[in-house]
Amino acid sequence: MATSQQIAGESSPWESKTFGTSLSLHLERPVGAMTISPSGRDVVLASRSGLYVVDLDDPYCPPRFLRHSTLWEVADVQWSPHAAKCTWVISTSNRKAMVWNMALPSRNAIEHVLHAHTRAITDINFHAHDPERLATCAVDAFVHCWDMRTPGKPVQSFCDWRASATQVKWNRQNPHVVASSHDRYVRIWDDRMGALPLRSINAHSTKIYGVDFDRVIETKLITCSLDKTVKFWDYSNEKDEPVRVITTDFPVWRARHTPFGDGCCIMPQRGGKNGLYIVYNKSEQVVEQIKPVTEFIGHTEPVKEFLWRARGGDQGVDDREFQLVTWSKDHDLRLWSVSDSTLEGVHHVKDEPLKYRLTRRGTPYVSFIKEPETESDSGPLFSLGIRQSIPRGATTLSRASQFPAKNLQRYMTRGGKYDKISHLNWLSGVRIGRSAFAKPDDTAAFTEREGVPENLGEEVSIVGNRFPKITFEKINVSSGEIVVCLNGPWGPDNGLIFIRMEARFPPDYPRKNAPKIAIEQSKDLLAEEVGRIEYQVQTIATEFAKRQKYCLESCLRYLMGEKVMLDNLDVEDRLPATGATDMPMLEIDEGESSSDDEIIMSPPKSI
């Protein structure tokens, strides 16, 4: 059984290598929605073929794929924000909502199916206080409230009767209140008041697509619409008059309170430079044009979803740090740093007592990107205080009865069971640091434009795409372990023979240390030859490391029979020139030329 440390990878979010770094991931799939785990480590991207789980702390690892093929676009996906149910993810599939358990094998991960709507579900929201409760709304105008201890049918339902529902949100302070949007109206429901709404607000002139309750004050909420306005309400007022109105020059798709200060994040439906805008909520003007505190602009297509990644606040003091996560129609997932000036612009004050409860507090900092082999592999989660159980009173819609093994095939398609994402293709879409928000051109063009890769992941991607006949048997960028197979002219009469090279790159590569190179012995390579080849390749790697240069391409070129010239490393900030030769004996001129002047290395002729 794995230990909790093995599951977590990083022991805490404060040790995350990507939290304070700009990051871009490219996934060429028709993703409809995105959500983030309560620990802030994993992101789920939901498409019609299934769910993709991405570990933000190990972006070079291809995503885990949970298959559920459907003809319908995924309208929403939500990860439970509660530590007690941190393995639950719920996604839509037309009229149904699928409750996934990330701790279970993908083939059997659907734990419940919620089926009561008669039209397509449009939104999902977990209860802000009770981890067992959630709400769904749909085109059928109904809002259903569910208790996952009895998932067979809703425990309560509300209906507008005249217009379909687009959004549903639980009140963050009052556990009995839920709001839903229907065309131009917002209905405030109280589960103690029966089927009549507690309050109805004629909020906008066109359909509402965003509703969000205030994190601190019970009766305040935000709405937004395609009428190019964001409105702030206090539903304790009897008149349909907003407290404040922000006008924009673009239709607004989402507007939500920021988890810090008195801010609001506004997302356009289209236009708006394909960006996000953070504004200060408490201006004295009742109606004013949008005045962003910060703009997050860089996507080439409109943003479809944004989330907040946070760390800190575990001791009741607001020492939190934040990172913005976005997904766009350009198929890029991006991480954006949140500057101190942004926090100050919305009047966020650090190190004060928290103003509201954090439901994620106590969530283990784990990733669910690894596929459990059996259901028992989720056992270590019990040692972390996470209990995953199926209620004894579960109805016929529970996972065990709704998805017996013999019926699993009906959820497969002609495409097969797995979505095979090439590791090299995945790496080519990962950019960190200065290259994170570069336009996703082909790798070769990017290398020619920028000069050299910025990290090991980019180096592997560049080399892999440049030499398609080289096989990368193993790629683990996080641990620095790379295993490569190729054919090189090391046989009799310079004949091609199979070579397997293992390279272990240190964390400070190439700034300080060189990788450790090992060549596998085979029937075609005797121990003496292996030792000589290892020495030569290691020499190349060491000389590159002395100059803080990336060496993988040159090491592989040498193994493929090309001459490697190191004399221009100190002059150009590019990969060194290489070319085919007639393979003379290995030459390292230590007389007139030092190692800083000229070193020419070539594979030796067979004797």
Side-chain angles (χ1 to χ4, degrees):
M1 180 180 293
T3 65
S4 60
Q5 180 65 27
Q6 288 173 322
I7 296 175
E10 300 283 353
S11 59
S12 80
W14 296 100
E15 298 178 17
S16 170
K17 297 177 181 178
T18 61
F19 198 95
T21 306
S22 297
L23 170 68
S24 176
L25 304 175
H26 189 76
L27 180 63
E28 198 64 39
R29 297 292 187 275
V31 172
M34 176 179 69
T35 186
I36 193 167
S37 67
S39 70
R41 177 159 179 178
D42 285 348
V43 160
V44 162
L45 301 170
S47 73
R48 286 183 291 181
S49 58
L51 307 184
Y52 299 88
V53 184
V54 179
D55 182 359
L56 296 179
D57 275 358
D58 190 6
Y60 295 109
C61 182
R64 175 187 175 189
F65 179 65
L66 292 87
R67 182 83 176 178
H68 178 69
S69 184
T70 174
L71 298 176
W72 307 94
E73 186 77 17
V74 177
D76 195 18
V77 60
Q78 293 290 317
W79 203 311
S80 172
H82 300 277
K85 293 294 181 183
C86 66
T87 64
W88 273 7
V89 173
I90 181 170
S91 65
T92 66
S93 179
N94 194 16
R95 296 173 295 173
K96 299 178 182 179
M98 328 297 293
V99 181
W100 304 76
N101 189 333
M102 294 290 109
L104 296 178
S106 300
R107 65 181 180 274
N108 205 24
I110 297 178
E111 193 155 353
H112 302 290
V113 179
L114 309 182
H115 192 187
H117 289 285
T118 58
R119 300 287 299 278
I121 297 174
T122 55
D123 195 27
I124 307 164
N125 190 235
F126 278 94
H127 199 279
H129 303 268
D130 189 343
E132 298 284 354
R133 297 181 65 190
L134 57 92
T136 59
C137 67
V139 179
D140 60 11
F142 272 91
V143 174
H144 291 318
C145 302
W146 304 84
D147 190 319
M148 300 311 298
R149 288 160 290 204
T150 56
K153 62 179 181 179
V155 294
Q156 195 162 15
S157 298
F158 307 104
C159 188
D160 181 84
W161 298 112
R162 291 172 292 182
S164 62
T166 54
Q167 288 273 280
V168 60
K169 293 292 181 288
W170 288 99
N171 192 297
R172 290 188 168 102
Q173 297 299 321
N174 190 329
H176 298 285
V177 174
V178 62
S180 60
S181 58
H182 306 261
D183 195 34
R184 298 176 289 111
Y185 290 85
V186 173
R187 311 295 187 191
I188 310 296
W189 312 92
D190 191 315
D191 61 12
R192 301 164 296 184
M193 303 291 289
L196 293 177
L198 176 68
R199 179 83 166 83
S200 292
I201 303 174
N202 187 354
H204 291 268
S205 59
T206 60
K207 184 177 288 189
I208 299 169
Y209 282 101
V211 176
D212 190 49
F213 274 106
D214 191 274
R215 295 176 182 270
V216 179
I217 302 175
E218 175 186 335
T219 58
K220 288 191 175 183
L221 70 156
I222 295 175
T223 62
C224 64
S225 167
L226 302 186
D227 63 6
K228 302 183 179 181
T229 63
V230 178
K231 296 185 179 181
F232 298 78
W233 304 89
D234 187 334
Y235 68 78
S236 61
N237 296 334
E238 294 184 359
K239 295 183 179 180
D240 291 351
E241 295 180 357
V243 176
R244 186 176 177 226
V245 179
I246 296 177
T247 61
T248 69
D249 56 0
F250 49 79
V252 184
W253 187 249
R254 295 286 187 268
R256 302 176 189 143
H257 291 93
T258 58
F260 48 84
D262 298 312
C264 171
C265 190
I266 299 174
M267 183 176 81
Q269 185 214 30
R270 62 182 183 275
K273 303 177 184 177
N274 300 322
L276 293 176
Y277 302 88
I278 292 182
V279 299
Y280 179 55
N281 286 350
K282 296 186 177 180
S283 172
E284 295 181 357
Q285 298 185 30
V286 176
V287 180
E288 68 174 338
Q289 182 69 19
I290 183 173
K291 295 179 180 179
V293 172
T294 303
E295 300 178 357
F296 296 94
I297 296 175
H299 284 289
T300 58
E301 296 287 341
V303 177
K304 296 188 68 174
E305 184 58 278
F306 68 91
L307 307 164
W308 295 101
R309 191 184 185 198
R311 62 182 179 184
D314 298 325
Q315 306 302 321
V317 176
D318 200 348
D319 59 350
R320 294 174 296 164
E321 295 180 358
F322 302 92
Q323 195 173 37
L324 178 64
V325 186
T326 60
W327 172 261
S328 166
K329 289 183 179 180
D330 60 15
H331 301 284
D332 272 1
L333 183 151
R334 296 189 175 188
L335 299 185
W336 310 74
S337 298
V338 179
S339 65
D340 290 339
S341 61
T342 300
L343 300 178
E344 294 171 1
V346 295
H347 294 199
H348 175 71
V349 181
K350 276 194 171 185
D351 300 326
E352 287 193 345
L354 280 166
K355 297 179 180 179
Y356 53 88
R357 183 175 64 94
L358 298 179
T359 59
R360 65 175 178 83
R361 184 182 296 173
T363 303
Y365 194 65
V366 302
S367 175
F368 297 98
I369 194 172
K370 300 300 182 183
E371 178 70 30
E373 294 182 2
T374 63
E375 204 162 316
S376 62
D377 285 350
S378 60
L381 294 174
F382 287 84
S383 66
L384 295 174
I386 307 173
R387 291 194 168 272
Q388 300 302 326
S389 60
I390 301 175
R392 292 183 181 275
T395 68
T396 56
L397 291 179
S398 67
R399 171 177 53 84
S401 56
Q402 180 75 2
F403 297 99
K406 63 181 180 180
N407 290 335
L408 279 176
Q409 189 173 359
R410 62 179 170 165
Y411 292 96
M412 306 305 172
T413 66
R414 285 179 294 233
K417 185 177 180 181
Y418 301 103
D419 185 1
K420 297 180 180 179
I421 298 178
S422 165
H423 203 152
L424 285 174
N425 288 342
W426 175 256
L427 286 177
S428 66
V430 180
R431 295 188 174 91
I432 296 178
R434 62 182 174 86
S435 62
F437 298 160
K439 187 176 180 179
D441 299 327
D442 65 271
T443 317
F446 170 78
T447 307
E448 183 179 354
R449 184 173 63 251
E450 298 294 334
V452 295
E454 190 170 318
N455 50 61
L456 178 60
E458 287 186 9
E459 182 184 22
V460 173
S461 174
I462 291 168
V463 173
N465 284 280
R466 185 168 292 171
F467 303 107
K469 292 185 178 181
I470 291 179
T471 300
F472 282 82
E473 189 174 284
K474 182 177 182 179
I475 302 174
N476 192 328
V477 177
S478 298
S479 66
E481 185 176 358
I482 308 295
V483 179
V484 182
C485 300
L486 55 88
N487 292 318
W490 298 88
D493 299 324
N494 299 325
L496 295 177
I497 63 172
F498 177 80
I499 296 176
R500 178 183 282 112
M501 181 190 81
E502 179 179 333
R504 294 184 178 272
F505 295 82
D508 53 7
Y509 166 81
R511 303 296 178 252
K512 294 183 179 180
N513 294 312
K516 301 298 182 182
I517 306 295
I519 304 296
E520 183 180 282
Q521 186 175 347
S522 66
K523 65 178 182 178
D524 297 320
L525 281 176
L526 301 179
E528 182 180 350
E529 295 175 298
V530 168
R532 185 167 61 251
I533 296 173
E534 280 187 0
Y535 171 77
Q536 294 163 353
V537 177
Q538 188 67 61
T539 300
I540 294 174
T542 301
E543 292 298 329
F544 271 70
K546 287 180 181 179
R547 299 161 174 82
Q548 300 185 2
K549 305 295 181 180
Y550 290 89
C551 67
L552 180 59
E553 178 176 344
S554 294
C555 290
L556 295 178
R557 282 186 180 274
Y558 177 75
L559 291 176
M560 290 187 295
E562 298 184 14
K563 180 185 295 184
V564 178
M565 303 178 63
L566 308 181
D567 58 321
N568 60 348
L569 283 180
D570 295 322
V571 179
E572 299 181 4
D573 190 23
R574 298 179 58 84
L575 292 175
T578 57
T581 69
D582 58 356
M583 296 183 298
M585 295 295 292
L586 171 66
E587 298 180 9
I588 302 180
D589 189 350
E590 298 179 345
E592 297 180 359
S593 298
S594 67
S595 61
D596 292 332
D597 296 326
E598 180 176 306
I599 298 177
I600 302 176
M601 303 186 68
S602 298
K605 285 185 178 181
S606 300
I607 298 174

